[in-house]
Amino acid sequence: MANNKLFKQMYKYRMIYIMLIPVAIYFIVFSYYPLYLGIISSFMKSKMIGAPEFTGFTNYKDVLQSPLFSQSFINVLIVGIGTFIIQFILGLLIALSLNELKSKFIKTSIQSSTYLPYLLSWSVVGGMWIKLLGPTGIVNGFLQLIYGSSFKSIIFMSEPKFAREIMILTGSWKVAGYYAVLFLAAIVSIDESIYEAAAIDGASRLRQIVQIIIPSLVPTMKVITVLSSMGILRNFDQIFVMQNSIILDKIRNPLYLIYSDGIINFKVGFATAASTLVLIATFIIATIVRKLTKYDDTYIN
């Protein structure tokens, strides 16, 4: 009986299932099959000539005992979490500010200008910030106006003590506008009658923001937090573009280490083992964040 009911449902929605077949094939061919090959390679020692040699968990042992991998993991957590916190707060503040603007032209202009960096690649954004933070860049020029002619230019990109902060601030600047769009979309969907009822009760605009808008954004905040948690360990483009040998130890992350070992040094087994560990760590982080934010209670149950 249950099988007949299931068959009828599948037959009823057969066109949907048929349309999903190309999508499933795409993910199998370009995502899951390469993932399978990568996991298999993580147990192998690749050779320039001849077939790979099975080494068991040797590659994983080498990765876990590598000081570079441990430091890169610490780097990516510091930069990733710091970037998320700042871009989350900036995105929320931008969205709340835009919602209060009455001029459609000003609102659209600010929204477009804050969202534009998100559309640009890190090749463009990174090169721009390297120029701005250079000895003759606008940042040093501004500091010289404040401190006078005695001020000596700071080569920010050659100062390890500024490296992580620069990655955090530039990463936040690039993505904050995208977060603002998500928050603003949730804000404009709030029923206007709720504001009217609150105004009748004598609630100020600030109180409406605190008691109406922000609670209404909680589901969107959960989505952004969970999605961001899955990307904390996957920041490669920014580091690849903005790194140099002086600051690399402060900002090197696992993906950059995988690139340098797997592609440049041809240590494929080590690199794929590190990639698998990053995948597992991403899954663990995302699961913890889902539990802490009670994401499943909001969107699944």
Side-chain angles (χ1 to χ4, degrees), residues 27-215:
F27 279 103
I28 291 172
V29 173
F30 295 103
S31 295
Y32 297 113
Y33 183 63
L35 175 62
Y36 165 77
L37 293 179
I39 294 175
I40 295 300
S41 298
S42 68
F43 296 99
M44 303 286 184
K45 180 180 180 181
S46 299
K47 301 179 181 179
M48 295 294 291
I49 300 176
E53 176 187 349
F54 179 78
T55 58
F57 289 94
T58 302
N59 290 323
Y60 289 93
K61 183 179 178 181
D62 292 341
V63 172
L64 294 175
Q65 291 179 346
S66 170
L68 282 180
F69 184 80
S70 302
Q71 184 60 48
S72 69
F73 202 83
I74 295 173
N75 292 340
V76 77
L77 287 178
I78 293 173
V79 174
I81 294 174
T83 301
F84 166 71
I85 292 173
I86 294 179
Q87 65 194 14
F88 184 93
I89 295 173
L90 284 177
L92 180 59
L93 292 176
I94 293 171
L96 293 174
S97 301
L98 289 174
N99 188 57
E100 299 304 310
L101 292 176
K102 304 302 180 183
S103 172
K104 185 176 181 180
F105 174 76
I106 297 176
K107 184 176 182 178
T108 304
S109 300
I110 296 176
Q111 185 174 349
S112 300
S113 61
T114 54
Y115 183 74
L116 182 61
Y118 179 75
L119 301 177
L120 301 176
S121 69
W122 269 110
S123 299
V124 176
V125 174
M128 181 186 71
W129 276 105
I130 290 173
K131 186 70 174 177
L132 292 174
L133 294 170
T136 59
I138 192 172
V139 176
N140 273 300
F142 180 74
L143 292 174
Q144 192 170 24
L145 288 176
I146 296 176
Y147 295 105
S149 57
S150 60
F151 173 77
K152 293 183 179 179
S153 296
I154 301 173
I155 307 177
F156 289 97
M157 298 303 299
S158 297
E159 293 285 349
K161 62 182 179 181
F162 297 135
R164 289 171 178 167
E165 288 77 4
I166 289 174
M167 298 301 128
I168 290 172
L169 293 176
T170 54
S172 302
W173 176 82
K174 187 177 188 297
V175 182
Y178 171 68
Y179 281 14
V181 170
L182 298 180
F183 283 130
L184 191 60
I187 292 173
V188 298
S189 65
I190 300 174
D191 191 348
E192 289 291 334
S193 62
I194 300 177
Y195 297 119
E196 295 173 0
I200 292 173
D201 290 339
S204 64
R205 187 56 184 172
L206 179 60
R207 188 175 178 184
Q208 291 178 28
I209 292 173
V210 173
Q211 296 186 352
I212 298 175
I213 295 180
I214 292 181

Side-chain angles (χ1 to χ4, degrees), residues 267-278:
K267 296 167 62 177
V268 178
F270 182 93
T272 51
S275 299
T276 304
L277 291 175
V278 169

